[in-house]
Amino acid sequence: MTVEPTAAPAAEPVIERPAARTATAPGVVPPPSGLTQRGDTAPDTSGGVGESTQRPDGVLKVTGEFAYASDLWHRDMLWGHTLRSPHAHAEIRSLDVAEALAVPGVYAVLTHEDLPAATHYGLEFADQPVLAVDRVRYQGEAVALVAADHPETARRAAERVRVEYAPLPVVHDEASATAPDAPVLHPERDDHHAPFVPHPNVVHRQPVTSGDPEGAEALAEVVVRGEYTVGMQDQAFLGPESGLAVPAEDGGIDLYVATQWLHVDQRQLAPVLGLPPERVRLTLGGVGGAFGAREDLSMQAHACLLALRTGRPVKMVYNRQESFVGHVHRHPATLAYEHGATRDGQLVYVKGRIVLDGGAYASSSPAVVGNAASLGVGPYRVPHVAMEALALYTNNPPCGAMRGFGAVQACFAYETQMDRLAAALGMDPVELRQRNALAQGDLMPTGQPVDSPAPVAELLRRVRARPLPPEHPWEAVGAGGEPGVDPRELPGGLANSSQGEGIVRGVGYGVGIKNVGFSEGFDDYSTARVRLAAVAGEPVVTVHTAMAEVGQGGVTVHAQIARTELGVSQVSILPADTSVGSAGSTSASRQTYMTGGAVRNTCLAVRAELLRRGRERLGAAQPGWHEPGLRLRDGAVVTAGGARLASLVEVLGEDAIDLELEFRHRPTQPFDRETGQGFGHVQYSFCAHRAVVDVDVELGLVRVVELAAAQDVGRAINPRAVRGQIHGGSTQGLGLAVLEEILVGPDGTIRNPSFTDYLIPTILDVPPMPVDILELADEHAPYGLRGVGEAPTLSATPAIVAAIRQATGRALARVPVRPEHLTTGP
Amino acid sequence: MRLTLTVNGRPTSADHVWEGESLLYVLRERLGLPGSKNACEQGECGSCTVRLDGELVCACLVAAGQAEGAEVRTVEGMAGPDGELSPLQAAFVETGAVQCGFCTPGLLLAAEELLARAPHPGDADIREALAGNLCRCTGYENILDAVRLAASRAAQAPTDPNGGPDHDR
Ligand code: FES
Ligand code: FES
């Protein structure tokens, strides 16, 4: 359903430098072009691995010139808008777009009837409709699309699409999903988990058993049981879902988009658009944070469909309310645990059952289940284990990837259990953890040996050894030297609810374990293209990958690695796009390991080729070329003894070296469907926290006073960026502890889709966060590094809640903790 | 309607502005100044923070018409004429206060306003002044560092105070 465009379609490539977008100079604003950076003191090779170099995109970001996906602009572009379902579960009886099409300024209105090819898509399997067909399964599901010449026109036209819904009963929890007469949400499902699930509304179920958990009960002298709840958290990146789709002359499409994984978007888009993958070209637009929420498609297919239909570039940008239904969330979970131990604090067995609400579509639920099941006992040595994790299909908002998935939910529960066990034993909670701490050489419940450092006890020791922050931080000295109160240091802050009376301090600990990289037999790889050439008499390295820079600093690290490996100061990072091989996802703490590893791997091949050429061209005259241990340093080839053989420019001459290679981590295995046994994970990552809180016990107000972390990162490629990741992850854990929850009613609708009602931590909520970094190399990983980004998100939450428990004496079996949990109930 | 205003010291105008458009929309979509960000468009995140006749405002909450004849300062106006960064901009880059950077323009404007009125802020003052600016990436630690660094440098170099509102004129 289209109206003829009134202006001629123009698909000018969006690849130039930004033309100023002023009334007098209309043009295009492209995504970020290449980032060129010199080592801090050219021409030597400082700025390499291990230094806190600055971001190559930092200047663009502080001057406002960095083009985020929502900033892209094309003079002929239309604006796309999505009409979404107000119901969580309903049949679509009829759909009429005539009135919407008649709105002046509207160029196209699309429904499922207009789809040219595949009608469904999905990360792990294609269960989600591009546009709803005859049924909607969650509030916010896309039903129709509009393209118009102004975003407001598109929005108003969408309101004129007539949709007749007949509401259906809503499946909203385990009981309603698995009842004998429960509506089956995907009766046609044929995915690879379908034959094995206990109920068709279970996406995937994974047991993990080791030892003899039933027999072990008799050996336990002390048993603690608990049931826990984790609310639905939102990634709440600041840069909204956005992109610009430009139809190309070859009938294909160029999409500039904020995403986490260009090639998985391409893989899902091509069948939906009915195009061969090579005609679906993606380029990364500037990304304003991700945290998992950009792993699934949002506006990608919709903008492309509108662009192909209208022949015009189409831009889509979600507003915040739409963003809350436009991406998947962290799975809310209910977790039941039983821990058995000897009287002297040795864990004997752990039994656990974790139920994750996957919402209407699968997204990455199976992988979340795998993590929860395999990491469900935490970083502890447990001889007998019976874990089970499963994800449900419900009519709640779809849930998928968020920082630390599966492991975050489990960590809150197992760490609370450890505190309860310590209390039951009359033991110090840190000592109990240390006594049972996982160490290198131990076996995971999956039977996988921990074959690199696992300094769990040491991390706990470090956070505990740190001096405690002073008590009564609100006590201030007035101008005349008289004692006063600074309300900004009190729980409740400037609301001035207390003068310091009724405030109790608490201290709590937590430690967690997260897998790094894609697990369970997934062929996880990344690709890097590296070019070494002489430009104007200087050696220059160009690095091209498809890695999504989402803020984490991958581009910084790539430049560091290239400098270190090739001894070159000047490094250009090309924009990420699909003209180079896949980098895999910016998720699972994997990019420094995987794409950093790929850049290193290709650099090593470039170096080998350079040395081969040098030997060939210059080796006859200079015997030094045949010595072992030649190195590249400061733009030259030097011997192991430091003698300079030739400059890189001399060796290269006019001929650049240009290589593109894939890099893989060691293979993993799927978990056995019955026992969960298998070498499932590439690497483990550990972080410990100590939280100090002040609680106004009468008003239920919490102020986190300090949140200290210790983490083993294997090797800190960029120490400042590592600390930044630990700060950011810890803060999201703090949010889950005391602030953040998407409230979903029993009708499946979101009650708080705004930053007014969904609270992410402000600078007033976040305390000083001292960070202690350990570097114990993992010999399997490039540079010995360990993925960093997710582990700190795990343990911050239980540490803070443990501190609140200590201050209040309350049980607190659910997060986030709200004021009413501290003033009423148990 | 036609809107006439001064942005970063330059008189400018936009035609065909709709009644309901915000100052943020006009800056971003009509004047080619997308540096001010649009994380919520509900007045809750501060990513769109600009100075309107010197006052800090959320540009998403200002109706375009309210800016008629006004002086607006955005992140695009912070660096010097030859592109040299203001002390705050430099400090943000150096301390790692920028990750994804979506919060950065708004934080820079808010921090600049703070340092203009309180050149030696304590941590509690910085926190209070930046409380309306959400950042999802950094946990704010390095943002505090950046503001402290810019303030301490300004104290050492009294002739170039903190890149205040007149820095670029
Ligand atoms: S975009 Fe204006 S406050 Fe968020
Ligand atoms: S750096 Fe990403 S929101 Fe602040």
Side-chain angles (χ1 to χ4, degrees):
Chain A
M1 280 160 263
T2 324
V3 278
E4 282 308 306
T6 52
E12 191 174 307
V14 192
I15 50 172
E16 306 143 33
R17 276 308 300 163
R21 194 195 321 174
T22 63
T24 52
V28 292
V29 172
S33 62
L35 304 162
T36 300
Q37 199 188 31
R38 258 171 200 286
D40 292 343
T41 46
D44 75 18
T45 325
S46 66
V49 166
E51 292 180 40
S52 289
T53 59
Q54 293 178 13
R55 304 182 62 96
D57 56 9
V59 170
L60 291 175
K61 285 178 173 177
V62 297
T63 52
E65 281 170 57
F66 186 81
Y68 293 88
S70 49
D71 302 335
L72 303 178
W73 190 85
H74 192 293
R75 77 179 71 115
D76 298 311
M77 76 186 189
L78 301 173
W79 292 82
H81 184 85
T82 314
L83 176 71
R84 296 178 179 277
S85 164
H87 302 284
H89 198 194
E91 194 185 310
I92 297 180
R93 290 272 170 79
S94 68
L95 202 48
D96 180 358
V97 303
E99 232 184 283
L101 259 180
V103 173
V106 168
Y107 285 72
V109 182
L110 305 184
T111 70
H112 71 94
E113 289 181 5
D114 301 292
L115 295 176
T119 57
H120 288 68
Y121 70 96
L123 260 187
E124 294 200 27
F125 38 88
D127 66 347
Q128 185 154 1
V130 178
L131 290 169
V133 184
D134 48 11
R135 185 177 177 188
V136 288
R137 294 178 181 82
Y138 73 99
Q139 178 220 5
E141 183 156 351
V143 175
L145 304 170
V146 180
D149 57 9
H150 191 287
E152 189 58 21
T153 306
R155 198 186 62 74
R156 288 183 195 170
E159 283 173 1
R160 303 205 179 186
V161 175
R162 301 272 162 252
V163 191
E164 195 190 333
Y165 294 100
L168 295 166
V170 169
V171 170
H172 59 90
D173 59 9
E174 186 179 17
S176 58
T178 58
D181 58 344
V184 173
L185 293 187
H186 297 272
E188 67 294 339
R189 70 181 280 201
D190 61 354
D191 56 88
H192 57 289
H193 294 304
F196 305 100
V197 293
H199 186 283
N201 284 339
V202 172
V203 183
H204 175 47
R205 171 181 169 272
Q206 179 66 62
V208 173
T209 49
S210 68
D212 175 14
E214 298 310 318
E217 283 181 31
L219 306 174
E221 294 162 319
V222 179
V223 174
V224 293
R225 297 182 184 87
E227 287 209 22
Y228 306 94
T229 310
V230 175
M232 184 185 289
Q233 190 178 18
D234 189 59
Q235 300 85 349
F237 49 56
L238 288 200
E241 289 89 343
S242 43
L244 176 68
V246 185
E249 268 168 23
D250 66 353
I253 193 97
D254 290 289
L255 176 64
Y256 302 85
V257 66
T259 182
Q260 284 177 238
W261 187 358
L262 290 164
H263 286 80
V264 85
D265 287 6
Q266 182 190 43
R267 193 192 80 207
Q268 295 172 88
L269 287 171
V272 168
L273 303 177
L275 290 169
E278 63 275 11
R279 281 203 272 157
V280 181
R281 294 168 292 258
L282 281 79
T283 302
L284 191 70
V287 185
F291 318 116
R294 300 190 206 267
E295 205 157 72
D296 292 79
L297 296 183
S298 58
M299 47 58 64
Q300 285 91 327
H302 297 158
C304 290
L305 288 163
L306 288 170
L308 290 171
R309 176 57 75 99
T310 59
R312 297 270 293 263
V314 172
K315 175 169 170 172
M316 291 184 91
V317 182
Y318 291 178
N319 66 21
R320 184 52 52 179
Q321 184 172 355
E322 185 170 22
S323 180
F324 271 96
V325 296
H327 62 248
V328 299
H329 311 290
R330 185 187 299 293
H331 289 69
T334 54
L335 311 95
Y337 271 80
E338 180 178 315
H339 279 56
T342 58
R343 191 130 314 282
D344 62 354
Q346 212 67 49
L347 282 173
V348 175
Y349 72 89
V350 174
K351 298 184 185 184
R353 183 167 187 275
I354 301 174
V355 179
L356 300 148
D357 183 352
Y361 297 103
S363 179
S364 45
S365 280
V368 179
V369 166
N371 282 3
S374 59
L375 306 172
V377 305
Y380 301 111
R381 208 168 34 236
V382 189
H384 308 283
V385 171
M387 287 294 308
E388 172 191 35
L390 58 88
L392 303 167
Y393 275 129
T394 69
N395 295 115
N396 290 328
C399 289
M402 181 174 172
R403 199 173 197 166
F405 70 45
V408 161
Q409 294 92 334
C411 187
F412 172 64
Y414 62 66
E415 285 299 85
T416 306
Q417 282 286 101
M418 292 302 277
D419 284 338
R420 286 191 184 181
L421 182 60
L425 291 165
M427 250 178 104
D428 173 84
V430 172
E431 200 185 317
L432 173 69
R433 285 173 170 84
Q434 288 174 322
R435 182 164 301 186
N436 294 282
L438 197 69
Q440 183 166 7
D442 287 338
L443 290 186
M444 294 291 289
T446 56
Q448 179 169 5
V450 177
D451 57 4
S452 70
V456 176
E458 171 64 11
L459 294 171
L460 285 161
R461 189 194 68 73
R462 289 187 177 222
V463 287
R464 165 136 75 183
R466 191 175 276 286
L468 283 162
E471 305 233 7
H472 309 274
W474 56 86
E475 285 172 1
V477 180
E482 76 284 7
V485 168
D486 186 344
R488 297 176 298 192
E489 304 288 350
L490 283 164
L494 286 174
N496 221 350
S497 37
S498 156
Q499 291 294 303
E501 70 284 0
I503 301 211
V504 184
R505 175 150 292 192
V507 178
Y509 294 87
V511 62
I513 176 171
K514 178 68 184 54
N515 57 318
V516 172
F518 280 24
S519 302
E520 300 186 55
F522 186 85
D523 179 23
D524 194 9
Y525 72 96
S526 181
T527 316
R529 180 172 175 181
V530 175
R531 180 183 154 92
L532 174 62
V535 178
E538 263 199 86
V540 175
V541 180
T542 308
V543 178
H544 189 190
T545 76
M547 178 207 65
E549 170 60 53
V550 303
Q552 84 278 20
V555 289
T556 323
V557 161
H558 295 175
Q560 292 178 261
I561 291 173
R563 285 192 199 104
T564 289
E565 299 303 341
L566 295 175
V568 164
S569 160
Q570 195 172 332
V571 181
S572 280
I573 307 290
L574 295 187
D577 61 31
T578 50
S579 73
V580 63
S582 175
S585 182
T586 301
S587 60
S589 309
R590 68 181 280 291
Q591 279 298 21
T592 303
Y593 190 129
M594 294 305 298
T595 304
V599 170
R600 174 171 186 253
N601 184 50
T602 309
C603 283
L604 292 178
V606 167
R607 179 166 72 178
E609 170 61 12
L610 181 98
L611 294 178
R612 192 195 62 75
R613 286 191 195 175
R615 273 185 213 108
E616 195 176 282
R617 291 180 188 172
L618 307 167
Q622 283 174 294
W625 278 99
H626 303 285
E627 289 177 19
L630 296 188
R631 289 183 294 158
L632 308 192
R633 214 174 59 193
D634 303 343
V637 181
V638 296
T639 64
R644 191 172 185 279
L645 292 174
S647 73
L648 299 185
V649 171
E650 285 169 79
V651 181
L652 286 164
E654 298 291 297
D655 305 322
I657 300 173
D658 192 339
L659 296 174
E660 177 176 332
L661 296 174
E662 288 178 358
F663 170 77
R664 285 176 161 71
H665 60 63
R666 56 184 173 158
T668 59
Q669 300 169 340
F671 296 125
D672 181 272
R673 283 193 181 275
E674 295 302 317
T675 66
Q677 296 298 295
F679 192 98
H681 296 306
V682 186
Q683 186 186 55
Y684 297 104
S685 167
F686 306 93
C687 182
H689 279 91
R690 182 189 70 193
V692 179
V693 303
D694 282 339
V695 184
D696 182 328
V697 291
E698 275 144 39
L699 297 173
L701 299 173
V702 175
R703 178 185 170 84
V704 183
V705 174
E706 188 196 75
L707 186 58
Q711 183 167 341
D712 174 25
V713 305
R715 174 88 193 270
I717 303 294
N718 184 314
R720 185 193 291 124
V722 164
R723 277 195 298 278
Q725 285 298 304
I726 296 172
H727 288 152
S730 301
T731 301
Q732 291 181 2
L734 181 154
L736 180 59
V738 292
L739 291 169
E740 299 183 34
E741 182 174 12
I742 295 184
L743 299 169
V744 180
D747 60 352
T749 66
I750 295 181
R751 298 293 158 85
N752 55 342
S754 74
F755 283 157
T756 314
D757 299 312
Y758 182 90
L759 301 178
I760 68 174
T762 72
I763 197 168
L764 293 175
D765 300 309
V766 180
M769 294 186 287
V771 169
D772 195 349
I773 293 174
L774 251 77
E775 297 181 90
L776 305 180
D778 174 359
E779 63 180 39
H780 309 283
Y783 303 111
L785 72 83
R786 207 173 276 286
V788 172
E790 294 175 290
T793 314
L794 275 57
S795 43
T797 308
I800 290 167
V801 178
I804 302 171
R805 261 185 225 114
Q806 199 198 48
T808 61
R810 291 180 183 271
L812 305 179
R814 134 179 251 296
V815 282
V817 175
R818 290 196 286 264
E820 62 266 30
H821 301 147
L822 300 179
T823 51
T824 56
Chain B
M1 67 179 182
R2 183 186 179 91
L3 184 69
T4 307
L5 69 173
T6 304
V7 183
N8 299 323
R10 257 181 61 194
T12 183
S13 64
D15 287 316
H16 313 299
V17 175
W18 286 31
E19 281 305 315
E21 281 177 13
S22 66
L23 173 60
L24 182 64
Y25 186 89
V26 171
L27 289 170
R28 289 176 53 78
E29 305 298 340
R30 296 197 182 276
L31 297 177
L33 295 169
S36 307
K37 291 295 170 247
N38 55 338
C40 78
E41 297 177 273
Q42 296 171 314
E44 285 292 336
C45 75
S47 73
C48 63
T49 302
V50 300
R51 306 276 290 270
L52 182 69
D53 288 332
E55 294 291 316
L56 285 178
V57 294
C58 292
C60 70
L61 292 185
V62 176
Q66 286 174 262
E68 175 64 35
E71 287 242 1
V72 177
R73 177 172 169 79
T74 72
V75 69
E76 286 96 341
M78 285 184 85
D82 303 322
E84 77 272 22
L85 299 183
S86 80
L88 264 168
Q89 288 175 309
F92 266 64
V93 176
E94 286 169 44
T95 56
V98 179
Q99 287 187 27
C100 85
F102 213 78
C103 63
T104 306
L107 277 159
L108 284 168
L109 270 291
E112 184 185 76
E113 193 269 347
L114 167 70
L115 294 187
R117 67 181 152 78
H120 310 291
D123 281 3
D125 304 317
I126 301 173
R127 288 182 189 275
E128 201 178 332
L130 303 184
N133 292 80
L134 298 178
C135 172
R136 190 54 159 167
C137 300
T138 66
Y140 306 101
E141 282 280 84
N142 294 351
I143 292 169
L144 279 158
D145 274 353
V147 179
R148 289 180 199 125
L149 178 65
S152 72
R153 282 187 183 157
Q156 285 158 20
T159 47
D160 182 22
N162 62 58
D166 293 325
H167 182 73
D168 62 332
R169 296 191 201 136

